[in-house]
Amino acid sequence: MPEERPAPAVIQGGMGIGVSGWRLAAAVARTGQLGVVSGVALDTTLARRLQRGDPGGDLRRALAHFPYPEVAERILRRYFVSGGIAPGRPFRPVPRLGLRPHRARDELTVAGNFTEVWLAREGHDGPVGINYLEKVQLATPAAAYGAMLAGVDYVLMGAGIPSEIPALLDALARHAPAELSVTVSGSEERHILTFDPVDRIGTPAGTRPGALPEPLRRPRMLAIVSSTVLATYLCRSPATRPDGFVLETPSAGGHSAPPRGRMRLSGTGEPVYGPRDALDLAGVARLGLPFWLAGGYGTPEGLAEARAAGATGIQAGTVFALCRESGLDPALRRQVRDRAALGTLTVLNAPDTSPAGFPFKVAGLPETLSEPDTYQERPRLCDLGYLRTPYLSPAGSVGYRCAAEPVDAYVRKGGAEQDTAGRRCLCNALTADIGLGQHRSDGYAEPALVTLGQDLSCLEGLPSDDCSAADVVAHLLGG
């Protein structure tokens, strides 16, 4: 277990693909609060940044410390382009997720998570965490192992029920084979994703022949949940019990849980939440684990309110997404701040945007996929596939489909046509948010799609339009 240190009052939330990157997490961690990198698609971001020439050499510096030098060398040979690829040239693809073992894919996933956490931890002793989505479960074992090799302090997971993650982390800390149940639509059998670190990646450099690698430090695990019922369920057994909770309200950015009961939509087309969706904070407190509140708490007053309710602190995203160290493209960041200042920024909790099937917050910005015209002009395709779901084909094999792929392909794979309506390709859009969007050979460039929390009052009272992460932390703590 990590060494004892005071629990953070502020958790900087994991955001998007690379919005909460290593620079942001490191800046927050240096203040003593919990800096969190997003763990989604780190294989793709590593490969694309290497193809951009790795300006500053940060990724190559981290890979020089990767405990599998032969793996690092293979990745550099395949993806690093000195000086970077020409503007507008397509990025070389990376292997897509799947149930079958794939050494090159796992190596890139482990290395991508290692480099992100290693850079976030470099040069200080503040706490660093990594955020995963349960909906991207096919990447989780290899990703978590890479983060643990770099000494990550916390693993946070939402967008599902992370009941198997505590046991997964226990196994990975021993370099032992780890298992994760995978939902396969149409199948009544239990499908297992197995990741054996020694078999798949090898033993870390310096391990004596025939000896077991030294155990890794097991990070704390925080489950991101939106109901007291789910928190109680996870605490039913030591095998599923996390080390704490992040309790999210429906206004939090990114994905949110659908309302309990029948889905009803408001006049703006958003899910309507009712009393059954309210958090029972006293009930969570009785579970005896620390918890943090998220979604509308990213202010000094929100922190005070959370502490008064028994919480250890808060998780904040939007205020950090718009600070200097954020990975969000600077032009998008300026648009958001300008529109927020004018009171013209809207953030819709869209029920049909995400292929994952969860409501997803969409910031209304011109020339992004929030605009119907931009959405209609984008060719439907799914070539990154992080939100693909496995299904059982009539022939008995496991295939993969995504509600954002071409409609005829999705229906041919047994999907319902109505599930494709309005679905945006989040994988490609979120990489465009950080300037790593794919360019196609015909000149087409992927548009962005920005997600934020719906409570924008958190932007009021910040010290400047170009504040740092340390400024944000000081503001939240009342400094």
Side-chain angles (χ1 to χ4, degrees), residues 157-357:
M157 179 169 279
I161 304 175
S163 58
E164 297 184 22
I165 303 304
L168 178 84
L169 298 179
D170 290 341
L172 293 176
R174 304 190 305 271
H175 306 275
E179 292 186 346
L180 193 64
S181 299
V182 174
T183 301
V184 176
S185 179
S187 175
E188 297 181 358
E189 297 180 13
R190 184 176 180 235
H191 292 260
I192 301 295
L193 177 67
T194 301
F195 177 75
D196 184 339
V198 174
D199 176 68
R200 202 72 58 85
I201 310 296
T203 55
T207 305
R208 288 184 293 104
L212 291 174
E214 288 293 319
L216 298 173
R217 188 161 54 100
R218 197 272 203 188
R220 292 185 175 90
M221 189 264 166
L222 302 183
I224 304 175
V225 300
S226 59
S227 76
T228 308
V229 172
L230 179 51
T232 304
Y233 169 79
L234 291 174
C235 285
R236 76 195 191 282
S237 162
T240 61
R241 184 182 177 92
D243 298 293
F245 296 101
V246 175
L247 306 178
E248 280 193 340
T249 72
S251 68
H255 289 96
S256 57
R260 298 181 68 188
R262 184 174 63 88
M263 173 75 81
R264 293 185 300 113
L265 300 181
S266 69
T268 58
E270 299 177 278
V272 175
Y273 293 87
R276 294 178 64 189
D277 302 298
L279 290 166
D280 175 11
L281 300 184
V284 175
R286 285 194 292 271
L287 297 175
L289 296 176
F291 64 92
W292 290 259
L293 301 184
Y297 288 91
T299 62
E301 296 77 16
L303 176 56
E305 179 185 345
R307 284 172 158 168
T312 301
I314 60 171
Q315 175 177 282
T318 299
V319 286
F320 288 109
L322 301 179
C323 75
R324 191 181 308 150
E325 296 89 348
S326 163
L328 189 63
D329 180 84
L332 291 173
R333 203 162 67 230
R334 283 193 298 272
Q335 278 193 62
V336 170
R337 294 200 73 118
D338 290 347
R339 286 174 174 263
L342 293 171
T344 59
L345 180 64
T346 60
V347 181
L348 182 73
N349 191 23
D352 58 357
T353 286
S354 173

Side-chain angles (χ1 to χ4, degrees), residues 5-6 78 129 265 327 357 445 448 461 478:
R5 54 161 56 112
R78 184 168 182 80
L265 300 181

Side-chain angles (χ1 to χ4, degrees), residues 448-461:
L449 181 68
V450 175
T451 181
L452 298 166
Q454 289 187 291
D455 185 353
L456 300 175
S457 65
C458 61
L459 303 179
E460 300 170 3

